[in-house]
Amino acid sequence: MTEDSDRLIEAGTHTFRRATLALFAAGFSTFAVLYGVQPLLPIFADTFAVSPAESSLALSLPCATLAVSLLVVSPLSEVWGRRPVMAASLFASALLTIGAVLMPSWHGFLALRALTGIAASGLPAVAMAYLSEEMHGRAIGLSMGLLIGGNALGGMVGRLLAGVIADHASWRWGLGTIGVLALFAAVAFQFALPASRHFMAHRMRWREVPGTFTQHFRDAGLPWLFLEPFLLMGGFVCVYNYIGFRLLDPPYSLSQTAIGLIFIVYLAGTASSAITGHIAGTLGRRKVLWLAILLGIGGIALTLAQNLILIIAGIVIVTVSFFGAHSVASSWVGRRASRDRAQASAIYLCMYYLGSSLLGTAGGWFFLHYGWVGVAGFFGSLYVAALLVALRLTRLAPLPLSGGPTG
């Protein structure tokens, strides 16, 4: 083992705890800012007199701008460094969220949400690249799982706070609170994240940038791994986009607070991402990914029941499935890409957020015309396709990689 590999961050060390705490806070902030609007979609529909599909633009639009921006910001991090790009992203997205609550018009609000997506793009792909560079192979699965766990907790707290505060004050107070929390998370990140020890800055020749992306599509496995987040996130976000519309109506007639409390099930995602990432690092990703996806198909079937307890149980299972599968697939990309990992991560997350944006809005058409049965059927078709891709990946010849399991 080389001296360089000895300096990679090992699980259980003080440096590992600092890095994972910082990135947990970063993931928390990013997902709270992006997804805190999700339980507010029915309120937006009423307040601004728009349809459910149009109200979903409050989430879909920043996800779309984030997806496209990833492809630009990721190469910039190769020049400016991982840490400065991530810190700037966190502070800017927090401030834009606070600004958005002051906008009186729907179109003005959407404009700032679109800018928030651009600002937030500096964190996701760069964080994955940081972990791929700094973590030992034995630690990357757990660290990636903890990063995604921060995403899950941020998504849960953002949705919960926004829903509860909107029920007792207004949606502007709810979203503004999320913006303030995101500022605190940005400060914690700035102080806690260890400096990059294996990052090598280099001059970016923009003519060469397309090649740093297209090279990954010549790999036998990466194009299939890039397809997974589009399908998985597309189905998952449909569930959370439109479940509030279903439960606000009879026979459930739940309050906004009660619907917000349902998002506590995101805790299951926090746990499943770390646990599944660790199991995949031990047993192999190809053995775990398809099982996690299959679990989600069973979960969506439960949501077709009329009993509220079964519906919530189905949402829990879908959440565990998604975050587990995402943890496995994202860490697999980091291990499989032998160079330009930030670009590989950017492609993965571009597909992830495009799925959230395009398929999340498309789910509104199914809900409008077929109700929850339409949403569940749309989810099922996406996850069956994802399952077929995962089974295809089980036949992928592994690449021998130093410092950890094969990819």
Side-chain angles (χ1 to χ4, degrees), residues 17 45 49 74 91 115 152 187 191 204 210 215 257 260 271 302 313 326 402 407:
R17 288 189 289 272
S74 177
F91 280 105
L115 291 175
V187 172
F191 281 97
M204 180 59 63
Q215 64 171 316
T257 296
L302 273 182
H326 174 40
S402 60

Side-chain angles (χ1 to χ4, degrees), residues 26-41 44 56-67 70 89 93-94 97 109 112-121 123-124 151 154-155 158-159 175 178-179 182 233 237 241 266 349 352-353 356:
F28 175 97
S29 171
T30 300
F31 263 59
V33 162
L34 284 175
Y35 291 98
V37 299
Q38 205 164 38
L40 306 177
L41 299 185
F44 295 154
S56 74
L57 290 174
L59 176 58
S60 297
L61 197 56
C63 286
T65 57
L66 187 153
L70 282 170
S89 169
S93 58
T97 299
F109 176 74
L112 282 188
R113 288 293 293 167
L115 291 175
T116 300
I118 296 173
S121 66
L123 186 280
N151 298 347
R159 291 168 169 97
L175 195 57
I178 291 171
M233 184 58 172
V237 78
N241 272 0
Y266 250 60
L349 288 170
Y352 177 98
Y353 289 108
S356 176

